[in-house]
Amino acid sequence: MIETATPMGVRLIGGEMLRWSDAPGSTPGAIDELVARLTTAGDRVLLAGAHEASLLDLLVERRARVACVMRSLPDAQETARRHADRDAVTVACGGIEKIAAEAEYDLVVVPSGLERALSTDSPQLPWAEVLHHLTAMLKPGGRLVVVVENDLGLHRLSDAMSPTAHRDDEDWGDGVGLDSSRPANPEGLAAVLSEAGMTLERSYAAFGPSLLVQKDSPLPGETFATLVAMACGGEFAGRPVVSDPRWIARGAVRAGLAAHLAPGWVAVASRGTADHRELPGVLIAEGVGGWAVVSELTVEPDGRVERRPCGGERARRLRSAGDVTRDPDRLHARMPVGLTVEEAVFAACERADVRGCRALLRDYAAWLGKHAVDGQVGGHLVFATMDNVVIEHADHVLLDPSWEWAGTVAVEQVIARALRRFALRLLASGQRHPWPNNLDIDGVCATLHAMCGYPASGPVREKGVTLEAEVVSLQQERPVAKVLEHVLRGSPSRGRRELVAVNARLTDQLTMLQERCAWSDDKLAVKEAQLKKLQAQLDRLRKINRGLRQLRHSTSFRVGKMVTAPLRVVRRQG
């Protein structure tokens, strides 16, 4: 193996991808906290493949000695530049098979899967062989954290594009499902790890980077379903889907198939006997970029689900930007159990239950109004949108109370923001609703305002649009102009099944209108026939009238009139 140093402090080990990037981000995920629980000061850690910058930062913060192996040269150079002043971080670029299989690491982490640890120049090794290569690098008692994608996961069931028909540049390996050594379920993953001489300590179902749930988790079904629906909905936001993944996720939880239909699995395994570590049961990451907070969920003996923010003071610091503030310590509370207001109204819309929609919307608006003082509500209620409020025992509870807006806001403006956000998500989902399909986003918002008992004029709705754009812009770290454009115009439904349903409804409406037009044409033909008859009668009457006028102007008529004139005088006098 030839190794070459570059000016950026990156070891070139062979198989480097010079003009390629796996585009790592900087948003902390749930796996960050899991890795942190397995790391102690002085540990030697191998970080194989693409990873979030936050994960490496966390390992450095815990004073671990980290060796990064990345296939992308630009990504490796950027990582080396960020940690140029740290001797504890070394960066190599190339395929993971180029690294000698020597037992020298306390922890090996593969956060993007084994496939992304190989480069285009790497031999197409079976999955199990790559796993054996990595496990050979562990010291006795060392641990492996590996992520495995599920070929039959919710992301595959919801994705509008076939995994084989639409393959990205990084998918140069064998087709989906062709590698028989690659585990296809959690039980298969445990078996492959056992064959590699590893002891499985903990297995998690990974619902995107934001949610890890231990296998056979004691989470209550409704809470589990809500978390999975939130994670899947966020993962597919803005992407073309076959059907809304939130409903598929809820169905999978109810059927007990959540672990087998998870988009991926995360396994923690040890080589030989390892020291005991207290591992979390459920981890959830909420927020984007600097707003992200990772929390652990635990089930108390009385069945309550407690949420506790993870990390030290740095991870739980107060974050703020513009008028938005987030305090992670407010997440340390009991998790509410139940449907969100949005899900409940969605279900009522699906049933075309106008009365149910009205009742849900009025209860939600009344709950907000109850907290208003002189028509103003506290800044934390600005974030009480319908997707962030849970209906629990006929009451309403904030799902994430950590956000706050500077100052107070008019309750009508908060409701306008919440209804606009709901209308955007409703129309984007393409799901059935009880209002005319030709209503645009403004028309739907006006209808929702009337139903919740807060009719709003144009200026009030515009203030709600502005507030939604400002909040989302700060939360998602996106330009406010782009967010405002989306909030104003909305986005068309991207779900294939929903589009088919919309097409069917529009076809039914078109058929009804065509039948109505045909009926109107028949009635019009009858009226035209009657009109022609009346026209003919009118023509005959006009002809008679012309004959009478001609008779009055004739000589005989005038002579007769003169002869009968004395008789008319006598008659009047008599």
Side-chain angles (χ1 to χ4, degrees):
M1 178 179 67
I2 299 176
E3 298 184 1
T4 306
T6 72
M8 292 298 296
V10 178
R11 277 196 308 138
L12 303 183
I13 60 177
E16 305 86 5
M17 299 173 65
L18 305 182
R19 302 188 64 182
W20 173 260
S21 174
D22 285 304
S26 58
T27 298
I31 196 172
D32 292 19
E33 179 61 23
L34 178 62
V35 172
R37 301 279 181 98
L38 299 170
T39 308
T40 56
D43 280 352
R44 292 206 63 189
V45 179
L46 173 64
L47 198 53
H51 59 269
E52 296 280 338
S54 60
L55 177 56
L56 179 54
D57 292 342
L58 184 62
L59 290 170
V60 170
E61 183 181 337
R62 297 185 73 85
R63 299 195 300 278
R65 294 172 295 164
V66 186
C68 300
V69 181
M70 312 169 74
R71 63 187 183 183
S72 165
L73 182 58
D75 294 345
Q77 289 177 330
E78 175 61 21
T79 301
R81 184 193 63 78
R82 291 180 60 246
H83 297 277
D85 58 339
R86 295 184 175 97
D87 295 333
V89 177
T90 60
V91 183
C93 182
I96 193 65
E97 80 284 356
K98 302 292 185 180
I99 300 294
E102 299 175 355
E104 56 179 320
Y105 293 103
D106 300 289
L107 178 65
V108 173
V109 183
V110 195
S112 298
L114 301 187
E115 296 84 358
R116 289 197 171 190
L118 302 174
S119 76
T120 50
D121 293 334
S122 300
Q124 295 303 311
L125 302 174
W127 193 92
E129 188 172 336
V130 180
L131 178 68
H132 279 269
H133 183 72
L134 287 171
T135 57
M137 300 181 190
L138 287 168
K139 296 178 180 178
R143 286 185 171 89
L144 169 73
V145 178
V146 62
V147 177
V148 183
E149 183 183 5
N150 180 8
D151 290 339
L152 197 61
L154 290 170
H155 64 310
R156 295 294 191 198
L157 299 178
S158 299
D159 198 344
M161 302 303 295
S162 164
T164 53
H166 179 67
R167 306 188 73 191
D168 294 328
D169 289 341
E170 66 264 26
D171 298 320
W172 56 75
D174 292 334
V176 175
L178 297 182
D179 186 353
S180 60
S181 70
R182 189 169 180 271
N185 51 51
E187 294 76 17
L189 176 58
V192 173
L193 287 169
S194 178
E195 291 174 4
M198 303 292 291
T199 301
L200 181 65
E201 294 187 33
R202 190 68 61 91
S203 177
Y204 296 88
F207 298 91
S210 62
L211 179 63
L212 292 181
V213 181
Q214 176 189 345
K215 186 181 177 182
D216 302 325
S217 169
L219 274 179
E222 199 61 52
T223 302
F224 191 10
T226 298
L227 292 173
V228 173
M230 287 171 53
C232 291
E235 181 71 9
F236 281 89
R239 289 171 54 186
V241 294
V242 174
S243 184
D244 192 330
R246 291 174 296 182
W247 307 119
I248 302 178
R250 282 192 171 277
V253 172
R254 286 196 298 270
L257 298 174
H260 285 79
L261 293 180
W265 305 291
V266 176
V268 179
S270 59
R271 185 179 181 184
T273 303
D275 57 328
H276 175 73
R277 298 292 174 88
E278 192 68 33
L279 297 179
V282 180
L283 289 173
I284 179 172
E286 303 164 281
V288 175
W291 297 107
V293 177
V294 180
S295 303
E296 179 183 0
L297 303 185
T298 56
V299 180
E300 301 298 320
D302 59 359
R304 297 183 307 161
V305 179
E306 288 287 331
R307 175 169 51 186
R308 297 181 179 87
C310 300
E313 294 183 2
R314 179 175 174 273
R316 299 172 64 173
R317 72 189 187 281
L318 193 71
R319 300 105 189 266
S320 62
D323 290 323
V324 175
T325 301
R326 189 175 199 193
D327 184 0
D329 284 336
R330 290 184 180 176
L331 292 172
H332 192 171
R334 182 184 64 84
M335 279 280 292
V337 179
L339 292 176
T340 63
V341 176
E342 179 181 89
E343 289 174 318
V345 178
F346 266 28
C349 287
E350 182 66 27
R351 302 190 303 268
D353 183 3
V354 178
R355 182 178 297 179
C357 288
R358 182 181 294 109
L360 289 166
L361 290 171
R362 284 184 179 270
D363 289 346
Y364 166 70
W367 172 74
L368 279 174
K370 183 174 65 176
H371 293 84
V373 178
D374 297 329
Q376 303 283 314
V377 294
H380 65 288
L381 288 179
V382 170
F383 297 89
T385 51
M386 295 167 66
D387 57 311
N388 192 34
V389 175
V390 173
I391 302 174
E392 185 181 44
H393 307 306
D395 196 6
H396 293 72
V397 183
L398 273 173
L399 184 61
D400 182 352
S402 63
W403 299 92
E404 185 164 1
W405 183 263
T408 59
V409 182
V411 65
E412 292 86 356
Q413 189 175 350
V414 173
I415 291 175
R417 185 224 166 183
L419 295 181
R420 185 77 181 198
R421 182 180 178 87
F422 170 78
L424 284 168
R425 294 160 74 98
L426 174 68
L427 296 182
S429 73
Q431 97 161 42
R432 181 185 179 192
H433 59 74
W435 305 293
N437 287 306
N438 59 355
L439 274 185
D440 60 4
I441 180 71
D442 292 317
V444 172
C445 285
T447 303
L448 294 173
H449 274 281
M451 294 181 74
C452 75
Y454 278 83
S457 60
V460 173
R461 294 203 301 270
E462 288 176 4
K463 289 181 180 179
V465 169
T466 302
L467 181 60
E468 169 70 0
E470 291 177 356
V471 171
V472 173
S473 172
L474 291 170
Q475 283 184 318
Q476 299 184 1
E477 300 177 352
R478 294 168 53 197
V480 68
K482 289 188 177 181
V483 176
L484 183 59
E485 182 180 359
H486 168 71
V487 174
L488 285 172
R489 298 182 181 179
S491 59
S493 169
R494 291 183 176 272
R496 293 291 180 86
R497 292 176 186 169
E498 287 83 2
L499 286 174
V500 170
V502 169
N503 181 66
R505 291 199 301 272
L506 292 177
T507 300
D508 290 342
Q509 270 197 340
L510 181 60
T511 302
M512 180 186 67
L513 292 174
Q514 286 175 335
E515 291 174 352
R516 188 176 296 174
C517 288
W519 178 85
S520 299
D521 288 342
D522 293 340
K523 297 295 290 184
L524 183 60
V526 172
K527 296 296 182 182
E528 285 180 346
Q530 294 175 348
L531 183 60
K532 287 181 180 179
K533 288 182 180 180
L534 293 174
Q535 187 67 42
Q537 292 178 1
L538 183 60
D539 290 342
R540 287 195 298 273
L541 291 175
R542 285 174 177 172
K543 186 174 181 181
I544 294 172
N545 190 38
R546 284 196 302 271
L548 291 175
R549 284 201 304 269
Q550 291 175 0
L551 180 62
R552 288 174 182 172
H553 291 87
S554 64
T555 304
S556 58
F557 181 81
R558 287 197 296 269
V559 170
K561 192 174 182 179
M562 291 174 62
V563 170
T564 59
L567 294 176
R568 291 198 299 275
V569 173
V570 172
R571 187 176 180 179
R572 283 198 298 268
Q573 292 178 353

